Amino acid sequence: MFMDDKQPDNSYPDIQVCACANLRRATRLVTQAYDAALRPVGLRATQFTMLAVLGKRGQMRQSDFADVLGMDGTTLTRNLQPLLKKDWIRIDRDEDQRVRLISLTEPGRALLDTAVPLWREVQGQFQTGLGKTQMTALLSTLSATANVAQPG
């Protein structure tokens, strides 16, 4: 039997109230805006985030870096490869050979220095568009949402 696609089925959830669907939609659109702003220097928003964390915090254990970014180890390893190939980061071994230490290289720091003004410009667009109160509330809500979603 063929179901008529024009007939609504009220047994399905309304995704307009789904946290996941709304966060993913917002994330896609926000990421597109940051990607467009960072495109002139050859960076994607995800890459900028990784470089900025390393720039701010300095050398980090890979496991700590994954935690800060909210990524599992496999995803982080995959996302580090392009940065490593372009010589924007370096991965060293700790005294404990099982521990990988990640840090910015000089070319990575130079790229980050060039990208920060572009990031500030798009960040400012969001701050202006949302206003200080709503921007603060958004960041607080996103942090609380991530804490709720975090396993354990």
Side-chain angles (χ1 to χ4, degrees):
M1 178 170 203
F2 182 78
M3 184 173 188
D4 183 357
D5 287 335
K6 295 182 182 182
Q7 295 298 318
D9 187 338
N10 290 327
S11 66
Y12 292 116
D14 180 359
I15 65 159
Q16 290 180 334
V17 298
C18 174
C20 182
N22 280 280
L23 281 168
R24 290 181 61 84
R25 178 179 182 271
T27 299
R28 281 190 295 272
L29 294 170
V30 169
T31 299
Q32 288 170 16
Y34 280 82
D35 280 348
L38 295 166
R39 192 170 293 123
V41 294
L43 273 177
R44 298 189 60 107
T46 52
Q47 295 170 327
F48 175 85
T49 298
M50 290 189 287
L51 295 177
V53 168
L54 291 171
K56 186 75 167 176
R57 295 184 179 212
Q59 187 178 65
M60 296 181 72
R61 294 166 54 116
Q62 185 168 339
S63 58
D64 294 336
F65 194 38
D67 289 343
V68 168
L69 296 171
M71 287 185 191
D72 64 77
T74 302
T75 302
L76 178 59
T77 298
R78 185 174 55 249
N79 284 314
L80 289 174
Q81 291 311 308
L83 305 180
L84 198 55
K85 286 180 185 176
K86 293 180 179 180
D87 192 36
W88 295 339
I89 63 164
R90 186 176 75 226
I91 300 176
D92 296 308
R93 295 286 180 180
D94 190 44
E95 291 173 7
D96 177 347
Q97 291 296 304
R98 297 170 294 177
V99 176
R100 298 173 72 186
L101 301 170
I102 303 173
S103 57
L104 279 179
T105 61
E106 283 306 315
R109 187 168 305 283
L111 176 65
L112 184 57
D113 290 344
T114 303
V116 165
L118 301 174
W119 174 86
R120 283 196 172 119
E121 186 175 322
V122 71
Q123 179 76 0
Q125 291 170 6
F126 280 94
Q127 289 173 331
T128 299
L130 291 172
K132 183 178 180 179
T133 301
Q134 199 168 4
M135 183 72 170
T136 300
L138 171 65
L139 296 175
S140 177
T141 299
L142 290 172
S143 180
T145 302
N147 288 336
V148 168
Q150 193 169 7

